[in-house]
Amino acid sequence: MMKQILMGAALALAAAGTVSAEGQTYVFQAGHPSLKGWLLPKTAPYPESNKPNAARIDLGHKLFFDPRLSGDGNMSCATCHNPSLGWSDALPTAKGVKSMVLGRASPTIINTAFNTTQMWDGRKKDLEDQAMGPMEANVEMNMDTAKLFQWLNSNDGYKALFAKAYPGEPIDASTLSKAIATYERTTAISNNSPFDKWLKGDKRAMSAQQVNGFKLFVGKANCAVCHAAPNFTDNGFHNLGLASFGVAEPDMGRYAQKPIKLMKGAFKTPTLRDIERTAPYFHDGSAKTLMQVVEHYDRGGEVTTNLSPNMKPLGLTQQEKEELVAFMKALTSPFIKVVAPDLPL
Amino acid sequence: MKKIIFPLLVASLSSAALANDYLVDQKDKAFSKKSLKIKVGDTVEFRNSDPFFHNVFSLSDVKSFDLGSYAQGSSKKVVFDKPGKVEVECSIHPQMQMVIEVEK
Ligand SMILES: [Cu+2]
């Protein structure tokens, strides 16, 4: 009897729509038009000067996997952004030149093509802008780029590939960046998860537990305020109160780019699509599991110095935490099979 | 609405002596105006109409300020006391940008 009354109330609420924490009115039914803001476009946006085509994807694919783009000839883009490990590296923080442990986690490349800012601190604006960064960084791939372009310009295989991809353009930082960016924005895409299928109307794509998790995600748990539609990011910067901000000289994050107090210890909101594949979590790799992530938010953070005002203790029950984790696992698209490319010698 | 019409009336009456108030809203992660022309001495009130926090700052030479973070419904005012171009942003959401041109 009690259950029936509750169900009746829930149905009435569903029909009227629920206002989410980020101010949207949703009806939580598969395929409901109120949810279409969460659907990603079929393809990622690209700059006018770099329209994707087969030759550009092919060249970018080769460059992405070529370790000769690093100073020691042993690190490619795929070393830290490994497609088999969610386009990341499964390490808490990245390992750079000669396995030097770096300060921040390798971010996944999944769906970064949809974002308006790149890197944990947002210092690069798009994928083209970002591509040369790791090669040039002496703690990362540590490449002498003058030597790199000398070599590429003397390699018959690459000369033919560049000529096909960017006819009439030189082999330089611009064309190399454009090719890598094209590969990333056409390949590292997650937009066919159970959640996406549910959005498009497949009732069975998500379990009741996962739908409840989505309700919490946009409601009580306050997640969608930052992990916003459609790519689960607001392209913004927030201090999450991680324990690592409590050390003597913490990583200031975005503050180094924008010296505004709120940005001290703030890092970019990453996408959550394919999140199940990109453990460990946070920019410092401090959470091993999605449950640990949820528990961090439930506590409202560890270190309250300069904490994002959007953070507050959530009071989630164990069941609610499990629902949130189950929902995040509904954001995993079928695995993208990536073939190791035949590199020009 | 009142605040937007009021300065127009006053501005037509006389010159620099009277300062005007302008309202800029923050809604759906955007400023309600991409650009705004005001006069030296005028005040701009920045209001947050989103159910989460925003920031407003400028690092421009003409007027540098940081309004911190504020919640839905609250607002903060800035008086623009020098002429020139002021680029205004939200540090949390870098896509939120506008330009205020302060005229003599
Ligand atoms: Cu904002």
Side-chain angles (χ1 to χ4, degrees):
Chain A
M1 185 62 187
M2 188 60 193
K3 198 174 171 191
Q4 275 172 342
I5 293 166
L6 284 175
M7 273 181 69
L11 282 174
L13 202 64
T18 308
V19 179
S20 74
E22 87 277 28
Q24 302 292 317
T25 305
Y26 294 128
V27 177
F28 296 99
Q29 285 164 5
H32 196 278
S34 65
L35 301 167
K36 71 173 192 296
W38 287 93
L39 277 171
L40 277 174
K42 274 209 176 73
T43 53
Y46 56 84
E48 218 32 67
S49 59
N50 193 24
K51 192 175 181 205
N53 64 36
R56 292 172 180 184
I57 297 170
D58 182 42
L59 172 61
H61 180 197
K62 288 183 162 63
L63 292 167
F64 192 87
F65 281 90
D66 198 331
R68 294 167 295 177
L69 268 54
S70 65
D72 284 346
N74 63 350
M75 283 181 86
S76 67
C77 305
T79 305
C80 296
H81 303 286
N82 185 339
S84 301
L85 297 168
W87 298 81
S88 182
D89 54 16
L91 295 166
T93 61
K95 286 186 182 172
V97 66
K98 306 199 195 301
S99 277
M100 185 197 287
V101 177
L102 306 180
R104 298 175 187 166
S106 302
T108 181
I109 295 180
I110 283 286
N111 286 6
T112 48
F114 291 99
N115 296 347
T116 53
T117 176
Q118 306 294 337
M119 317 291 286
W120 283 112
D121 57 13
R123 67 182 184 273
K124 304 285 188 183
K125 65 180 195 309
D126 57 27
L127 293 175
E128 278 82 356
D129 190 25
Q130 186 278 334
M132 286 301 295
M135 283 173 250
E136 290 165 346
N138 58 9
V139 294
E140 297 184 25
M141 291 165 80
N142 191 33
M143 187 68 200
D144 178 338
T145 54
K147 271 189 194 157
L148 171 64
F149 291 111
Q150 221 169 44
W151 171 65
L152 287 172
N153 276 293
S154 68
N155 181 292
D156 289 339
Y158 270 123
K159 270 160 63 183
L161 290 161
F162 271 94
K164 212 173 151 197
Y166 297 100
E169 291 184 59
I171 299 178
D172 61 9
S174 167
T175 44
L176 183 136
S177 297
K178 288 200 282 192
I180 292 174
T182 299
Y183 175 65
E184 293 169 327
R185 73 164 55 91
T186 53
T187 313
I189 298 291
S190 168
N191 60 2
N192 190 26
S193 66
F195 175 63
D196 293 298
K197 290 183 181 130
W198 184 79
L199 290 174
K200 291 174 193 158
D202 180 352
K203 273 183 229 157
R204 285 173 301 180
M206 287 213 296
S207 67
Q209 186 193 32
Q210 289 172 323
V211 174
N212 284 342
F214 179 49
K215 287 181 195 171
L216 290 163
F217 190 89
V218 298
K220 181 180 175 183
N222 216 28
C223 313
V225 156
C226 303
H227 291 287
N231 197 26
F232 290 83
T233 175
D234 58 356
N235 287 293
F237 300 87
H238 308 268
N239 181 325
L240 307 181
L242 295 167
S244 61
F245 194 61
V247 302
E249 278 177 41
D251 186 344
M252 285 302 204
R254 179 65 171 167
Y255 186 74
Q257 308 301 316
K258 292 273 175 190
I260 299 299
K261 185 180 170 287
L262 258 181
M263 296 296 100
K264 286 185 179 174
F267 293 83
K268 194 187 67 187
T269 312
T271 183
L272 297 185
R273 287 178 188 267
D274 275 23
I275 192 70
E276 197 183 351
R277 294 198 173 107
T278 67
Y281 304 109
F282 295 131
H283 76 272
D284 61 0
S286 58
K288 287 193 178 70
T289 64
L290 290 172
M291 184 52 91
Q292 285 179 9
V293 172
V294 170
E295 278 168 351
H296 173 84
Y297 286 116
D298 186 52
R299 286 191 296 271
E302 305 288 335
V303 175
T304 53
T305 312
N306 215 45
L307 183 66
S308 162
N310 290 315
M311 296 276 293
K312 58 187 179 202
L314 300 170
L316 298 171
T317 65
Q318 184 61 29
Q319 185 188 327
E320 287 172 332
K321 290 176 192 172
E322 282 162 14
E323 286 168 345
L324 278 167
V325 170
F327 170 63
M328 286 190 274
K329 289 183 178 173
L331 302 179
T332 307
S333 290
F335 182 72
I336 303 157
K337 281 199 180 113
V338 172
V339 175
D342 184 10
L343 298 179
L345 291 171
Chain B
M1 195 61 198
K2 197 176 167 190
K3 277 183 178 147
I4 296 164
I5 293 165
F6 179 63
L8 294 175
L9 293 172
V10 183
S12 65
L13 288 176
S14 76
S15 53
L18 293 165
N20 299 321
D21 282 359
Y22 295 85
L23 178 71
V24 171
D25 212 1
Q26 295 166 86
K27 181 100 185 74
D28 300 325
K29 293 186 196 115
F31 288 110
S32 58
K33 297 177 174 72
K34 278 264 149 221
S35 62
L36 179 64
K37 269 190 189 165
I38 63 170
K39 291 247 186 317
V40 168
D42 287 350
T43 300
V44 178
E45 178 180 357
F46 296 96
R47 182 176 67 191
N48 181 6
S49 292
D50 274 328
F52 44 83
F53 287 80
H54 284 299
N55 158 259
V56 180
F57 80 92
S58 181
L59 298 173
S60 308
D61 295 336
V62 173
K63 185 78 190 176
S64 174
F65 60 92
D66 174 10
L67 303 185
S69 64
Y70 45 113
Q72 184 171 32
S74 59
S75 68
K76 289 181 185 180
K77 291 179 179 181
V78 179
V79 179
F80 290 84
D81 40 20
K82 273 192 240 160
K85 210 176 182 184
V86 183
E87 278 142 357
V88 177
E89 285 177 53
C90 165
S91 66
I92 302 169
H93 308 111
Q95 281 179 291
M96 294 177 61
Q97 297 182 355
M98 71 172 295
V99 176
I100 296 179
E101 273 190 66
V102 189
E103 295 172 331
K104 269 208 163 158

